[in-house]
Amino acid sequence: MYSTTLFLVPVLVSYTLARQVNITVDASKILGDLPPVARFFGTDEPNYATYPDGPHQTYFRMHNLLTTCDPLNDTSPHRLKWGCTNAYTEDVNGQPIYNFTIIDTIFDAYLENGVKPYVQTGFMPKALSSHPDPYSFDFNGTSDVNNIFTGWSNPPTSFQKRGELIYQWAKHCLERYREAEVESWYWEVWNEPNIAYWNGTQEQYFTLYDHAVNGVLRALPSVTVGGPEVAGGASRDWLSLFLDHTLNGQNDATGDKGAPLDFISFHAKGSPTFINATDSVPGHLQMNMASALQNVNDVFFVIQSFKTLNHLPVFIGEDDPDSCAACLSANVDYRNGLIYPSYTAAAFTRELDLAGNYSINLTGALTWAFEFDDHPYFDGFRVLATNQIDKPILNIFRMFGKMQTKRLEAQSTGQYDLDSVVSSSVRGDSDVGILASISDEGNKMAMLVWNYHDDALPKPDAQIFFTISNGFMGHQVVNLTHYRIDQSHSNAYSTWLALGLPQDPTPKQLADLKAAGMLQMLHSPTQMKLEDGMAVIQFDLPIHAVSLLVVEQ
């Protein structure tokens, strides 16, 4: 049921299982800027950027840009959790050979599609690794992830040589892409140096950071550098010690006190699990947003304590419902359908709320998901698209892309308070939440509404009574566009299931799947009457569905 009315009207259908939720948005109460945090993505496998379904209009972070192909002539990207570029090798006399050809093709693909690199100077070229063998590995969705930490994860034989590599690479980028472009990128040093991605000590990472950052800044002093992309939030005192090093430590590359730091980055991950069946509840997947939000809360607490750093941009450099994009198990069987986008809407909003509480400059929340072509359709990996068919998760980012620049005050009687979600996730009634925004000019509003629960189980619809007040004063009519992600809208996965799970779809089926993967409207755009800046919109929102209401003059 859907209606747009000035005042509430009697409900015309039965809502035996529906739960009434009242949402109010006051267009006159601006909370502040709404940063476009959702426009950041990343992947282990950088070479996929050159595929037809590469990234568009965002920032993109990638592993393995300095990893050596093993063997050298195997530059194929068709391997999970692997990529390689041969950027650095050595001749028989141990002299460096720099070759940025493959990296150029990757960055060219990004820039041709309006994407800016979020550059990671990882990992260790084989010729520089202190323990190079074994170097490469094979991984499938059920492999032990610890098997990937081979020679590329070890410290270098010479931090100076590696610093010179970073300098030569940054100088090459400056020559190829020009100063104004490279200045708009973010540069960071390594991935998750507090766990096995870095098989050195913390002090050795500080040395790595000093030389890498110095190399970049030697090429272009105005470039933006940061880190440390630490795993597990603050990781006890790991982040604090890193921040202290940038302020007070001795810089191994320059001999000066401290090290440049223009942004702070860390990772936050949820922890889903599979709940075995009982007499009363079937076996099912259960998400856990609280573990990710606790990571965020812990880091914001640490950053707040550094008074000379707490103004810096902060990136959640990997912000995901689970910890391994290329792993498959019953614990992560959420990635094809509706749980993923509704989780993301609810989690990103809470991260913005936490940032507000701590006065943190949250600039990006990066989704570690991309695409693997030449894999089975809807294979269950954490990806945005499957063989160029967009998954429902991609449409939540299309919705985020339609949000406006200022955040508005909004309340929902069905929304969990922040402390409850941080401590316990969403385990009682569903979380029916709202993120509302308005343009700088005040002539366009965009409001995101979700119905989320941790359990992958049937739950009641939410019957939404949505009130806008103090909006578009002086206007009697505005335009309403209602976008929806649910079982029958913006959902190529449900279409694929209805087609019988085809792994060799016909041209007609492919066309239908591509169309179903696009962001769709719940109904045709309509006009909505206002009286003294007030209107009420009524609609039903199924469990794990997301609506975006765009109201404009």
Side-chain angles (χ1 to χ4, degrees), residues 22-340:
N22 297 317
I23 295 176
T24 57
V25 177
D26 189 333
S28 69
K29 294 185 177 179
I30 296 175
L31 300 179
D33 292 337
L34 181 61
V37 297
R39 60 180 177 145
F40 294 83
F41 299 88
T43 185
D44 291 79
E45 303 84 5
N47 307 73
Y48 274 108
T50 60
Y51 270 45
D53 209 26
H56 298 269
Q57 297 178 340
T58 183
Y59 278 87
F60 208 82
R61 177 175 178 258
M62 66 297 303
H63 294 341
N64 289 304
L65 286 175
L66 296 179
T67 304
T68 306
C69 299
D70 190 29
L72 280 173
N73 62 356
D74 183 9
T75 60
S76 168
H78 301 280
R79 293 166 63 181
L80 296 175
K81 300 191 78 66
W82 174 261
C84 61
T85 67
N86 291 334
Y88 181 93
T89 54
E90 293 181 350
D91 65 17
V92 294
N93 297 314
Q95 295 302 306
I97 301 173
Y98 304 111
N99 184 348
F100 303 115
T101 303
I102 296 177
I103 296 179
D104 288 346
T105 65
I106 293 169
F107 282 12
D108 289 353
Y110 291 159
L111 295 170
E112 287 167 7
N113 288 293
V115 176
K116 292 186 179 295
Y118 183 127
V119 185
Q120 179 190 111
T121 65
F123 291 116
M124 195 61 63
K126 189 172 185 179
L128 283 176
S129 176
S130 55
H131 296 89
D133 294 313
Y135 191 78
S136 64
F137 57 87
D138 290 314
F139 185 88
N140 62 47
T142 59
S143 300
D144 183 350
V145 72
N146 292 310
N147 293 338
I148 74 171
F149 302 118
T150 54
W152 57 263
S153 63
N154 290 317
T157 54
S158 168
F159 287 99
Q160 290 75 19
K161 273 190 173 183
R162 194 173 189 281
E164 181 65 19
L165 163 62
I166 305 306
Y167 165 71
Q168 294 292 338
W169 179 21
K171 182 165 72 73
H172 172 81
C173 289
L174 180 62
E175 294 166 352
R176 184 176 181 86
Y177 302 113
R178 304 305 180 198
E179 181 175 331
E181 178 59 43
V182 179
E183 281 182 334
S184 70
W185 303 355
Y186 298 97
W187 291 73
E188 51 100 355
V189 172
W190 200 263
N191 183 63
E192 298 183 343
N194 60 318
I195 62 173
Y197 274 94
W198 175 246
N199 280 321
T201 66
Q202 187 173 25
E203 286 298 324
Q204 286 176 311
Y205 171 76
F206 295 166
T207 303
L208 183 83
Y209 181 89
D210 294 344
H211 285 273
V213 165
N214 184 60
V216 175
L217 295 179
R218 282 170 54 207
L220 183 59
S222 56
V223 82
T224 303
V225 296
E229 302 288 344
V230 65
S235 188
R236 294 195 278 276
D237 64 351
W238 209 103
L239 179 61
S240 294
L241 291 171
F242 168 77
L243 296 178
D244 183 71
H245 170 76
T246 67
L247 292 173
N248 303 308
Q250 181 171 346
N251 190 306
D252 193 81
T254 66
D256 296 334
K257 179 181 177 181
L261 182 71
D262 300 318
F263 66 88
I264 302 169
S265 54
F266 69 98
H267 297 173
K269 303 286 186 175
S271 54
T273 189
F274 187 83
I275 305 297
N276 291 324
T278 66
D279 291 341
S280 58
V281 180
H284 65 281
L285 176 72
Q286 185 177 79
M287 308 296 283
N288 184 0
M289 190 182 301
S291 61
L293 295 178
Q294 288 163 14
N295 289 162
V296 175
N297 188 74
D298 291 348
V299 168
F300 288 176
F301 179 81
V302 169
I303 294 173
Q304 185 191 49
S305 69
F306 283 81
K307 301 305 181 184
T308 60
L309 299 176
N310 59 16
H311 66 287
L312 294 177
V314 174
F315 293 92
I316 309 175
E318 294 181 22
D319 189 3
D320 304 296
D322 71 272
S323 60
C324 180
C327 298
L328 297 175
S329 74
N331 290 354
V332 294
D333 192 21
Y334 67 87
R335 296 160 168 176
N336 289 327
L338 296 177
I339 293 179
Y340 195 0

Side-chain angles (χ1 to χ4, degrees), residues 496-541:
W496 183 72
L497 294 176
L499 290 172
L501 292 73
Q503 286 299 335
D504 187 19
T506 66
K508 172 64 165 58
Q509 289 174 327
L510 275 175
D512 290 345
L513 288 166
K514 283 182 175 289
M518 296 294 103
L519 181 61
Q520 298 170 355
M521 292 180 286
L522 183 62
H523 57 81
S524 299
T526 186
Q527 289 192 322
M528 183 171 64
K529 292 183 178 180
L530 295 172
E531 184 171 307
D532 295 328
M534 179 178 176
V536 174
I537 309 167
Q538 182 180 333
F539 58 93
D540 293 343
L541 191 65

Side-chain angles (χ1 to χ4, degrees), residues 329-519:
S329 74
N331 290 354
V332 294
D333 192 21
Y334 67 87
R335 296 160 168 176
N336 289 327
L338 296 177
I339 293 179
Y340 195 0
S342 58
Y343 173 104
T344 302
F348 280 21
T349 300
R350 271 40 184 253
E351 290 161 0
L352 289 166
D353 292 341
L354 285 169
N357 285 356
Y358 284 99
S359 299
I360 294 295
N361 181 13
L362 181 61
T363 303
L366 188 148
T367 295
W368 197 255
F370 185 29
E371 59 118 16
F372 303 135
D373 281 358
D374 305 318
H375 281 252
Y377 285 86
F378 297 99
D379 51 17
F381 291 116
R382 193 193 326 128
V383 293
L384 304 173
T386 174
N387 293 308
Q388 301 182 49
I389 305 297
D390 295 344
K391 289 187 174 184
I393 179 59
L394 193 52
N395 285 311
I396 196 64
F397 296 108
R398 291 180 172 130
M399 286 183 170
F400 275 125
K402 294 180 182 294
M403 296 296 284
Q404 300 301 297
T405 54
K406 301 295 184 183
R407 187 173 181 183
L408 291 173
E409 182 174 293
Q411 287 87 31
S412 167
T413 59
Q415 186 163 344
Y416 279 52
D417 67 78
L418 178 60
D419 290 345
S420 295
V421 183
V422 172
S423 66
S424 306
S425 201
V426 180
R427 299 293 166 85
D429 291 334
S430 62
D431 176 53
V432 183
I434 170 74
L435 177 65
S437 65
I438 193 168
S439 64
D440 286 335
E441 300 79 12
N443 59 0
K444 188 173 186 178
M445 300 172 66
M447 296 154 288
L448 193 70
V449 186
W450 61 87
N451 186 2
Y452 171 77
H453 198 280
D454 285 341
D455 290 329
L457 291 171
K459 301 286 181 181
D461 290 359
Q463 181 188 356
I464 307 295
F465 292 83
F466 194 113
T467 303
I468 298 172
S469 63
N470 297 313
F472 312 101
M473 302 303 293
H475 292 263
Q476 294 182 334
V477 176
V478 289
N479 299 307
L480 169 67
T481 306
H482 189 156
Y483 299 95
R484 171 63 69 82
I485 305 171
D486 63 17
Q487 288 293 342
S488 55
H489 298 87
S490 314
N491 191 336
Y493 181 57
S494 61
T495 300
W496 183 72
L497 294 176
L499 290 172
L501 292 73
Q503 286 299 335
D504 187 19
T506 66
K508 172 64 165 58
Q509 289 174 327
L510 275 175
D512 290 345
L513 288 166
K514 283 182 175 289
M518 296 294 103
L519 181 61

